[in-house]
Amino acid sequence: MMQLFFASTSAYVRKVMVCATILGLADEIERLDSAAHPIDRDERIAAFNPLAKVPALRTPGGLCLYDSRVICEYLNALAQGDLFPETGDARWRSLARQALGDGIIDAALLARYEFSARPPGKQWQGWADAQLKKVAAALSDIEGQVSSFSRQPDDIGLIAIGCALGYLDFRFAELNWRARYPLTAAWFALFAAHPAMATTQPHV
């Protein structure tokens, strides 16, 4: 059985679990408790990943894999799935969209950590604002291409973007991103209703 250091609040863990669900592998993953934090290192996670970050997965053969991009590709190969196009422009488009979704999560995490992990006297609003500017730019790019998106989580790029939007809802509801990006909002309403997305929503 596979083992995964798990956090219900992590968009990257969610990405792995969405893929596992779609690929029929969710029941083959043991979810291990973790407390990943940018300051307070969880040594349990470090047994699988020296960076002590989630997700971190150990295969039945003892191979330790991280980060979400590697784990998702491993799961896809294990199940002989088609979440990763194999060749041509479709592959590069999918991987670029994955990078865009992951980039939103990265920037949002940095903005959140500025106030949740840094002492009040050392917090920098300008830094957080710069990270959220990246989020806005990425959302604008998604708005321009969303009309070509599948409404099903059948591609790693769209799964990453969907998990990123879900993270914004979870941690940055005040951004009200739907008001500025109505086409993306309409797409996400359908995409997020898929069982693999609905059953993996982040929660505290």
Side-chain angles (χ1 to χ4, degrees), residues 16-39:
V16 167
M17 292 310 301
V18 169
C19 289
T21 300
I22 292 168
L23 295 166
L25 297 173
D27 290 342
E28 298 181 31
I29 297 176
E30 178 186 0
R31 304 177 193 184
L32 305 178
D33 289 335
S34 68
H37 190 274
I39 306 297

Side-chain angles (χ1 to χ4, degrees), residues 35-109:
H37 190 274
I39 306 297
D40 301 321
R41 181 178 172 89
D42 186 340
E43 293 296 343
R44 295 173 300 177
I45 306 171
F48 286 16
N49 176 2
L51 302 174
K53 297 169 67 175
V54 294
L57 179 137
R58 184 162 61 191
T59 71
L63 181 65
C64 292
L65 302 176
Y66 46 87
D67 57 8
S68 68
R69 289 167 291 189
V70 175
I71 297 171
C72 289
E73 191 155 3
Y74 166 78
L75 295 176
N76 189 69
L78 182 64
Q80 298 182 354
D82 55 6
L83 298 180
F84 290 77
E86 293 185 2
T87 60
D89 287 350
R91 175 171 176 78
W92 305 120
R93 187 180 301 112
S94 178
L95 294 181
R97 286 173 176 168
Q98 179 178 210
L100 187 63
D102 287 356
I104 291 174
I105 299 167
D106 285 345
L109 276 171

Side-chain angles (χ1 to χ4, degrees), residues 5-14 17 31-34 54 167 170-171 200-204:
F5 276 107
F6 180 89
S8 63
T9 58
S10 168
Y12 291 123
V13 170
R14 184 185 190 187
M17 292 310 301
R31 304 177 193 184
L32 305 178
D33 289 335
S34 68
V54 294
Y167 185 76
F170 180 56
R171 293 298 195 191
T200 58
Q201 290 187 60
H203 58 87
V204 176

Side-chain angles (χ1 to χ4, degrees), residues 46-187:
F48 286 16
N49 176 2
L51 302 174
K53 297 169 67 175
V54 294
L57 179 137
R58 184 162 61 191
T59 71
L63 181 65
C64 292
L65 302 176
Y66 46 87
D67 57 8
S68 68
R69 289 167 291 189
V70 175
I71 297 171
C72 289
E73 191 155 3
Y74 166 78
L75 295 176
N76 189 69
L78 182 64
Q80 298 182 354
D82 55 6
L83 298 180
F84 290 77
E86 293 185 2
T87 60
D89 287 350
R91 175 171 176 78
W92 305 120
R93 187 180 301 112
S94 178
L95 294 181
R97 286 173 176 168
Q98 179 178 210
L100 187 63
D102 287 356
I104 291 174
I105 299 167
D106 285 345
L109 276 171
L110 289 173
R112 173 173 164 75
Y113 286 159
E114 187 64 22
F115 300 105
S116 66
R118 194 181 295 276
K122 297 183 179 180
Q123 293 171 3
W124 185 10
Q125 184 65 50
W127 169 265
D129 290 345
Q131 303 311 312
L132 294 179
K133 187 173 183 179
K134 295 176 185 178
V135 170
L139 290 172
S140 180
D141 187 81
I142 291 168
E143 184 78 356
Q145 57 175 309
V146 73
S147 61
S148 66
F149 286 5
S150 167
R151 295 175 178 179
Q152 304 294 319
D154 52 13
D155 174 272
I156 190 59
L158 301 186
I159 292 170
I161 288 172
C163 290
L165 296 176
Y167 185 76
L168 294 181
D169 284 346
F170 180 56
R171 293 298 195 191
F172 290 89
E174 69 277 9
L175 292 180
N176 191 24
W177 63 266
R178 287 172 176 78
R180 293 187 61 189
Y181 310 101
L183 298 179
T184 303
W187 169 77

